[in-house]
């Protein structure tokens, strides 16, 4: 695959992540610091111990980094936000 194809994928990824940040009131500047590390993490886990475990490992890293999150309220919040993101995906126009 050409570098241009990879650049386009990264552009679309960043465009999408900024929309998700906006939906949840997250400063998209956070992405500048964490995207490379999380992409490397998910790649390593996907090609190592577990492909389906890769995104969930990234989630667990985020939970650990959040520290003071009330774990009793975490699951319902995650499910609600995941549902919202799925709605956002469904609302996207098909790409040509």
């Amino acid at each position: 695959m050409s570098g241009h194809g990879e650049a386009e994928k990264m552009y679309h990824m960043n465009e999408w992540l900024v929309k998700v940040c906006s939906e949840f009131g997250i400063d998209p500047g956070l992405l500048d610091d964490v995207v490379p590390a999380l992409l490397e993490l998910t790649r390593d886990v996907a090609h190592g111990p577990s492909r389906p475990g890769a995104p969930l490992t990234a989630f667990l890293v985020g939970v650990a980094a959040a520290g003071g999150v009330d774990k009793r309220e975490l699951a319902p919040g995650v499910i609600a936000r995941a549902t919202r993101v799925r709605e956002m995906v469904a609302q996207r126009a098909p790409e040509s």
Side-chain angles (χ1 to χ4, degrees), residues 91-96:
Q91 293 170 358
R92 289 185 65 201
E95 293 179 9
S96 33

Side-chain angles (χ1 to χ4, degrees), residues 16 18 32 44 47 55-56 66 76 78 80 89-90 92:
W16 169 251
V18 166
D32 297 337
D44 292 348
H47 292 282
L56 298 173
V78 168
V89 170
R92 289 185 65 201

Side-chain angles (χ1 to χ4, degrees), residues 4 6-8 16 28 39 43 47 50-51 56-57 61 64 66-67 69 71 79 84 86-87 94-96:
H4 177 73
E6 282 302 310
E8 186 174 347
W16 169 251
L39 288 176
R43 178 201 62 214
H47 292 282
S50 172
R51 182 171 297 278
L56 298 173
T57 300
V61 168
V69 175
K71 307 302 189 258
I79 292 167
R84 178 61 193 127
R86 291 182 69 213
E87 291 168 353
E95 293 179 9
S96 33

Side-chain angles (χ1 to χ4, degrees), residues 18-89:
V18 166
K19 287 178 184 177
V20 174
C21 283
S22 176
E23 178 68 26
F24 297 127
I26 298 169
D27 177 1
L30 172 67
L31 297 173
D32 297 337
D33 296 329
V34 301
V35 164
L38 290 176
L39 288 176
E40 289 175 10
L41 169 68
T42 56
R43 178 201 62 214
D44 292 348
V45 173
H47 292 282
S50 172
R51 182 171 297 278
L56 298 173
T57 300
F59 165 73
L60 293 174
V61 168
V63 170
V69 175
D70 183 347
K71 307 302 189 258
R72 294 169 298 191
E73 295 180 19
L74 185 61
V78 168
I79 292 167
R81 287 169 180 85
T83 299
R84 178 61 193 127
V85 170
R86 291 182 69 213
E87 291 168 353
M88 291 170 64
V89 170

